[in-house]
């Protein structure tokens, strides 16, 4: 059963350099901050994409620690890890065996050779033009060592050619057996929640976008949910798509990510106008994980397609660019807006996106925490971190703008910052006030005032955010039943 309290998102080495240090922090300095759990971004051996090209899920990268550390964390905090159900590393023992033996490998059927998609194995550009692409072409070519033959295999992601991330054939029995072994291992090591990363890409079907292909996707979700239920593991599908797809997943009974909220909150604070945000909050599904920032960026397209006017979005994007952000762009012309708007994600820290304004940032977090769902706080956001432009310039990777690492000494200093002290007080309030287990409502608001409320019997709490000044006030019932308030 998931806890309706705040979760932390972090890389395994970003807080103190190891899982052991993370465990220590969760037991001490963070002891009352993240009872909802901790999302540990991929701690597995990986060949790229900072963990998202895993070699296996049966081991922890020794540079981070061991399964003993995960089990130890799991004894006091629910652990969430990623399973990249769509792909695995080119350097994995499974694909390396395939590179040597080709079709004679016992793992050959794990992978999508192109003859599984096109009968003669030759890709057709007309079909590719219909696909939602994450790279120029959705496949990579390799030469098999034992026979010198070329094999083309599906690779949705990857900046290199050939890609480091090799797609799995989720229909194959050997793939399902391998995924089962990963889930069983998670269960044995105190993992409570598994995020199905890139699950929208697992179905490849000609004549479609090869993204969230219905009804085929539900066959896979049924299978993986039955497996997770058997092991008492919660699932969190990760799908960046038109919001209607997210809503379908919610209707299907899945937990989903609220990828609309980060933009709506940012838009409200930049424009000092909360009308669109309040209208959204009145209709959104409640069974969601909420976030503002993460290891990638603030979602724009396709998550908000149909919800925003591109000229309005461009103004928000331009403001973030002025404040140091960079962008992830849509590659496929077919999936850009008609006017050419092509922003997939805005890459920056949320604090920098709000011009390092403490009050605006705390207002954003207060809104997030008052929105129904399980709130997640990214570790850089916990410290109100600023854009790391030097790291971007050094690596050439735009996402490094929001992926700083902190030593234990730096963490101590960060926790003493005034804005962080205000945030941690707000986190503790969100974790402990009983009204958040009750009924949510959007109270009558004006365009520049946002009012949100929770009520559970006699327990009540209300948030009022003044977008003109960014001042946020929480009114709430104390244990005595008396009303009190504090300015965030």
């Amino acid at each position: 059963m998931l806890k309706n309290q705040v979760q932390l998102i972090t890389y395994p080495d970003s807080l103190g350099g190891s899982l052991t240090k993370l465990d220590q922090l969760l037991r001490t300095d963070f002891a009352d901050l993240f009872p909802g759990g901790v999302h540990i971004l991929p701690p597995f051996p990986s060949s790229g994409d900072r963990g998202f090209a895993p070699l296996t899920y049966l081991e922890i990268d020794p540079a981070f620690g061991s399964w003993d550390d995960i089990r130890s964390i799991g004894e006091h905090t629910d652990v969430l890890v990623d399973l990249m159900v769509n792909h695995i590393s080119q350097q994995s023992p499974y694909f390396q065996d395939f590179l040597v033996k080709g079709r004679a490998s016992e793992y050959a059927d794990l992978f999508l050779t192109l003859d599984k998609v096109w009968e003669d194995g030759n890709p057709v550009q007309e079909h590719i033009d219909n696909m939602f692409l994450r790279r120029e072409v959705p496949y990579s070519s390799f030469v098999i060592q034992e026979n010198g033959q070329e094999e083309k295999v599906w690779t949705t992601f990857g900046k290199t050619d050939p890609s480091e991330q090799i797609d799995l054939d989720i229909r194959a029995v050997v793939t399902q057996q391998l995924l089962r072994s990963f889930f069983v291992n998670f269960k044995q090591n105190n993992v409570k929640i598994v995020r199905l990363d890139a699950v929208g890409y697992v179905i490849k079907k000609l004549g479609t976008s090869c993204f969230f292909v219905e009804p085929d996707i539900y066959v896979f979700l049924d299978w993986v949910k039955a497996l997770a239920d058997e092991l008492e593991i919660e699932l969190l599908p990760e799908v960046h798509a038109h919001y209607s797809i997210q809503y379908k997943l919610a209707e299907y009974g899945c937990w989903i990510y609220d990828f609309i909220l980060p933009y709506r909150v940012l838009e409200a604070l930049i424009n000092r106008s909360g009308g669109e945000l309040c209208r959204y909050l009145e209709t959104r599904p409640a069974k969601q994980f909420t976030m503002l920032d993460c290891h990638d960026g603030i979602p724009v397209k396709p998550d908000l397609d149909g919800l925003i006017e591109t000229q309005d979005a461009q103004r928000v994007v331009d403001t973030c660019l002025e404040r140091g952000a960079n962008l992830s762009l849509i590659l496929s012309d077919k999936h850009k807006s008609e006017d050419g708007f092509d922003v997939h994600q805005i890459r920056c820290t949320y604090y920098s996106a709000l011009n390092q304004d403490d009050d605006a940032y705390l207002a954003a977090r207060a809104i997030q925490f008052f929105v129904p769902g399980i709130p997640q706080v990214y570790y850089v956001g916990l410290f109100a971190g600023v854009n790391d432009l030097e790291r971007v310039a050094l690596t050439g990777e735009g996402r490094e703008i929001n992926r700083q690492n902190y030593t234990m000494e730096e963490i101590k200093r960060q926790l003493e910052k005034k804005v962080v002290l205000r945030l941690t007080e707000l986190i503790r309030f969100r974790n402990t006030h009983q009204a958040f287990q009750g009924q949510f409502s959007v109270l009558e608001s004006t365009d520049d005032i946002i009012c949100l409320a929770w009520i559970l019997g006699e327990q009540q709490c209300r948030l009022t955010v003044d977008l003109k000044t960014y001042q946020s006030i929480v009114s709430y019932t104390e244990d005595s039943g008396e009303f009190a308030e504090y300015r965030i």
Side-chain angles (χ1 to χ4, degrees):
M1 183 69 176
L2 297 182
K3 300 181 181 72
N4 181 20
Q5 294 170 304
V6 181
Q7 289 188 357
L8 172 69
I9 309 173
T10 182
Y11 284 100
D13 58 338
S14 286
L15 295 173
S18 70
L19 290 167
T20 301
K21 294 297 186 183
L22 174 61
D23 190 10
Q24 178 183 327
L25 285 167
L26 289 167
R27 293 176 185 270
T28 55
D29 297 87
F30 296 174
D32 56 351
L33 295 180
F34 305 109
V38 56
H39 177 181
I40 303 174
L41 295 164
F44 316 107
S46 173
S47 61
D49 200 13
R50 195 159 180 181
F52 283 86
L55 276 66
T56 179
Y57 296 86
L58 301 178
E59 302 171 17
I60 299 296
D61 189 324
F64 305 142
S66 69
W67 279 115
D68 289 340
D69 296 308
I70 299 292
R71 284 196 300 274
S72 178
I73 294 170
E75 288 174 0
H76 57 83
T77 306
D78 287 355
V79 173
L80 187 162
V81 298
D82 296 273
L83 178 62
M84 277 56 81
V85 288
N86 180 70
H87 54 265
I88 203 159
S89 172
Q90 179 195 140
Q91 304 303 318
S92 69
Y94 321 107
F95 193 72
Q96 286 296 302
D97 193 75
F98 173 75
L99 282 181
V100 173
K101 303 173 185 175
R103 301 296 177 99
S105 168
E106 63 181 300
Y107 303 114
D109 210 29
L110 277 175
F111 311 110
L112 272 165
T113 50
L114 293 197
D115 56 297
K116 290 184 176 182
V117 183
W118 289 280
E119 190 172 346
D120 59 4
N122 294 317
V124 177
Q125 190 61 44
E126 181 183 352
H127 294 150
I128 294 174
D129 290 342
N130 284 326
M131 297 174 188
F132 184 73
L133 298 178
R134 298 305 302 271
R135 57 203 308 268
E136 291 298 328
V137 292
Y139 58 87
S140 297
S141 300
F142 297 90
V143 175
I144 304 303
Q145 293 179 23
E146 288 191 353
N147 57 25
Q149 293 181 352
E150 183 184 71
E151 287 280 10
K152 289 185 173 68
V153 297
W154 202 282
T155 52
T156 297
F157 298 94
K159 293 181 179 292
T160 60
D161 190 21
S163 174
E164 273 296 316
Q165 294 158 299
I166 312 297
D167 283 39
L168 296 168
D169 181 0
I170 53 90
R171 292 188 174 101
V173 172
V174 64
T175 305
Q176 294 175 7
Q177 291 172 338
L178 186 65
L179 293 177
R180 171 174 278 277
S181 73
F182 295 156
F183 268 92
V184 169
N185 186 58
F186 291 155
K187 174 66 175 180
Q188 293 170 345
N189 288 286
N190 281 350
V191 171
K192 298 292 195 303
I193 313 162
V194 171
R195 184 175 84 148
L196 300 177
D197 186 81
V199 68
Y201 296 91
V202 297
I203 304 296
K204 284 76 176 178
K205 191 173 184 179
L206 297 185
T208 74
S209 66
C210 292
F211 180 82
F212 207 86
V213 179
E214 300 176 272
D216 310 55
I217 186 71
Y218 298 116
V219 176
F220 174 73
L221 288 172
D222 283 344
W223 176 83
V224 75
K225 186 177 186 306
L227 173 59
D229 288 348
E230 174 189 330
L231 298 169
E232 299 180 308
I233 290 175
E234 292 278 359
L235 293 179
L236 175 58
E238 184 261 355
V239 178
H240 280 288
H242 189 277
Y243 70 94
S244 62
I245 290 179
Q246 291 276 40
Y247 287 12
K248 286 179 183 178
L249 280 171
E251 291 171 6
Y252 199 65
C254 294
W255 281 95
I256 61 173
Y257 272 110
D258 191 341
F259 287 137
I260 297 172
L261 186 67
Y263 178 90
R264 280 296 186 215
V265 171
L266 183 63
E267 171 193 56
L269 290 164
I270 288 176
N271 296 335
R272 299 181 190 260
S273 173
E276 292 293 343
L277 172 62
C278 288
R279 280 187 285 275
Y280 168 62
L281 296 183
E282 288 174 337
T283 60
R284 66 185 283 281
K287 191 176 176 182
Q288 302 197 56
F289 280 60
T290 70
M291 39 81 79
L292 295 180
D293 46 2
C294 67
H295 64 288
D296 280 337
I298 298 167
V300 184
K301 285 183 66 67
D303 305 82
L304 285 107
D305 283 350
L307 297 178
I308 53 175
E309 297 293 335
T310 55
Q311 62 268 28
D312 296 333
Q314 189 63 59
R315 285 193 289 272
V316 172
V317 169
D318 289 344
T319 298
C320 292
L321 289 173
E322 291 168 4
R323 295 171 179 176
N326 64 75
L327 305 175
S328 169
L329 302 177
I330 298 288
L331 289 180
S332 173
D333 288 339
K334 184 173 182 178
H335 294 94
K336 297 176 183 178
S337 298
E338 289 184 3
D339 60 3
F341 184 75
D342 60 354
V343 179
H344 176 50
Q345 293 178 345
I346 305 168
R347 299 192 291 213
C348 60
T349 75
Y350 215 84
Y351 187 60
S352 290
L354 291 170
N355 212 28
Q356 301 178 39
D357 184 310
D358 289 4
D359 289 338
Y361 185 63
L362 270 296
R365 287 296 177 190
I367 293 168
Q368 179 199 3
F369 294 165
F370 266 73
V371 170
I374 297 175
Q376 293 184 317
V377 175
Y378 185 58
Y379 73 101
V380 178
L382 173 65
F383 301 141
V386 300
N387 290 336
D388 191 344
L389 302 179
E390 291 183 8
R391 183 69 182 165
V392 173
L394 180 66
T395 63
E397 170 56 74
R399 292 176 296 180
E400 289 294 316
I401 199 168
N402 194 26
R403 295 181 174 185
Q404 301 93 316
N405 289 340
Y406 297 87
T407 65
M408 295 296 277
E409 293 75 19
E410 288 170 334
I411 291 167
K412 295 287 187 184
R413 291 197 295 271
Q414 294 296 317
L415 289 172
E416 294 172 356
K417 289 165 51 177
K418 187 174 180 180
V419 63
V420 176
L421 290 170
R422 292 168 66 189
L423 176 56
T424 53
E425 181 182 7
L426 179 61
I427 290 173
R428 292 185 180 98
F429 178 82
R430 173 61 177 81
N431 287 333
T432 56
H433 201 283
Q434 288 302 304
F436 289 107
Q437 310 303 321
Q439 186 70 35
F440 168 78
S441 61
V442 179
L443 301 181
E444 185 173 348
S445 304
T446 62
D447 195 50
D448 54 10
I449 300 288
I450 296 172
C451 294
L452 310 176
W454 285 87
I455 184 168
L456 179 66
E458 299 298 317
Q459 296 293 314
Q460 301 179 44
C461 60
R462 182 174 68 189
L463 170 68
T464 303
V465 176
D466 186 335
L467 296 174
K468 299 189 301 294
T469 63
Y470 295 145
Q471 293 299 306
S472 305
I473 296 175
V474 173
S475 307
Y476 62 98
T477 49
E478 297 181 307
D479 291 340
S480 63
E482 297 294 319
F483 269 90
E485 70 176 36
Y486 84 94
R487 188 180 299 273
I488 295 173

